[in-house]
Amino acid sequence: MRLLPILFSLILFIACKPKPPVRQPVTVSEDTTFLTGTFFLVRHAEKNPGPDSTLTPDGQKRAGLLYQALKDAQLNKIYLTHYVRSIQTTDSLRLKLNLDTCFYKADTTGESLIYEITRRGDWGKRILIIGHSNTLVPIMRSLRAKPHMAAIGEDEFNWLFTIKKTSAGSTLKEDCY
């Protein structure tokens, strides 16, 4: 007899359970900042011999020249590799302009950089990228820019590449600093 009221209560509970809400469609609009932005690419400054060495006196001067070249560029962030030479190349800009930095893995495809920019939601920003002689050209290509050179020479440290990437395409400006 006690089972009947419990069974009745259970049926009533199931019957009175509210229906799940109907999902309303959400209009999806294209994010106009995705895969866009202004990117300033440079190679780290001159380094001492060794796998992860510090900057030479000439490299320290070059880092100062980089600061002079980009101090008014309205940078939002710096992307660099974990190497000491890359970190020292950006020290003036990072410290004097109080810029946030993000690390990416140096690779010869540019995929790691693209992944980190996407993961951190930094598309549409003005970003300084510090690379290496064997990574700059692949990074430019991954940003859909067409550099005139196939590679950066081992003794070339003065190139400043500016890529403006819009939804319509990319433009590349090549300068020296």
Side-chain angles (χ1 to χ4, degrees), residues 12-121:
L12 187 61
F13 174 74
I14 293 171
C16 294
K17 187 176 178 181
K19 293 181 180 178
V22 177
R23 288 189 172 187
Q24 298 296 322
V26 177
T27 306
V28 177
S29 61
E30 183 178 328
D31 181 359
T32 57
T33 62
F34 185 62
L35 299 179
T36 65
T38 302
F39 305 91
F40 302 89
L41 285 81
V42 298
R43 181 181 178 196
H44 62 77
E46 292 90 332
K47 68 178 183 88
N48 288 302
D52 187 17
S53 55
T54 59
L55 296 183
T56 64
D58 284 343
Q60 292 171 358
K61 289 177 189 173
R62 175 132 0 251
L65 292 173
L66 179 62
Y67 170 77
Q68 291 299 320
L70 294 178
K71 68 181 179 183
D72 297 323
Q74 299 174 342
L75 295 172
N76 299 113
K77 198 172 273 190
I78 301 172
Y79 277 80
L80 64 156
T81 61
H82 286 86
Y83 294 97
V84 172
R85 58 188 178 259
S86 296
I87 296 167
Q88 288 180 334
T89 300
T90 66
D91 276 349
S92 296
L93 283 162
R94 183 179 56 82
L95 296 171
K96 290 182 180 181
L97 300 179
N98 196 30
L99 291 171
D100 189 19
T101 57
C102 297
F103 291 103
Y104 71 96
K105 182 181 175 188
D107 62 32
T108 56
T109 63
E111 289 178 14
S112 175
L113 176 68
I114 299 298
Y115 171 78
E116 288 299 328
I117 292 172
T118 303
R119 186 172 78 87
R120 297 174 185 279

Side-chain angles (χ1 to χ4, degrees), residues 120-131:
R120 297 174 185 279
D122 285 335
W123 292 109
K125 296 182 180 178
R126 298 174 67 81
I127 297 173
L128 170 61
I129 300 165
I130 305 295

